[in-house]
Amino acid sequence: MDHAKITQVLESLPAGALSQHRFVRHYFYGPDTRLRRVRTHLKRLSDDMMFDFLDKGLAVTAPARLDHDGLMQAVGIMESSAAETGLEYDGFEIVLDDVEDQAALEPLEDHVAPGSYLRFALGAGRFGYLLFLGGNKTDGYLFDCLALVDDGQATPEVLAEAPRLYRQPVQGMIDPFGVEVTGTATGMTHPIRVPFRLATDYPTPEDLAALAARHGMAPDRIEQDWPVLLERLVAAGQTIGRGDPIAYTAELKRNGRITWTEGDPIRADHTTARPMLFGAHVTLDSLCAALTGGRDIVALTDAAS
């Protein structure tokens, strides 16, 4: 992609978005085996990327700085990756609704030890809690999210017995300067294995626009009102994902490293809870919303995908 096209994209952005770090969604099309190959290739380059399989395509969401150099670098990586794997790179779109600058977060492992209970402020003298299981900037991070809100005085013993916000540990992108260590969990044994499900088939943009229209949303509002669409889909008992997801298991070792293993397709089984969706990361903003009566974007994404 040349500078003229990048300039055209930048000139169409709101002034407040320029030079910020935002998420950019890139699109690849081609055979399924090559799509999986490019996903593996990109995962080795960075742990900041999220992947959604489409109909004969792959959407890759990654942070980038919204200026000429930042976008040229991001697009260059994707174009070269497409060329190496024999795929078609079909351009990108900028995600303007995620304002949290995740790309600038310092590595959590430089500030917090695995097994630490973390306290974060919700406002009005109230606090929420996380258990940092482990991980690192390269391999990702795993957390147990607690469904407990109090005045910030909970002890590790109380936190160990507190209900969990989600049915399993989840991935997260947490600002180390937004949390305080408030104790250490005892009895953690390794390796810790956490199952996830990897989506394999999502609607085309045209299918998604039709789905949004059925729920009273204009196609040009899908990006801005994505949480609203998810909420309406969940209320209607509908999902976006169409294919069988693939098992994707994280194994957290005592040294903090996480290895990811891809397994078999997960068939529908209504007798057991299915693993949560890979790529749905909690943040301090999303946790604050979930614990104070706002939208729980991780739960909505999981239920609608």
Side-chain angles (χ1 to χ4, degrees), residues 282-298:
V282 295
T283 66
L284 291 181
D285 283 350
S286 73
L287 288 170
C288 286
L291 293 171
T292 57
R295 286 192 183 94
D296 186 338
I297 190 64
V298 171

Side-chain angles (χ1 to χ4, degrees), residues 94-113:
I94 295 170
V95 183
L96 291 175
D97 58 335
D98 195 325
V99 298
E100 187 166 5
D101 186 3
Q102 299 293 350
L105 296 183
E106 288 200 18
L108 185 65
E109 67 273 21
D110 290 352
H111 302 270
V112 177

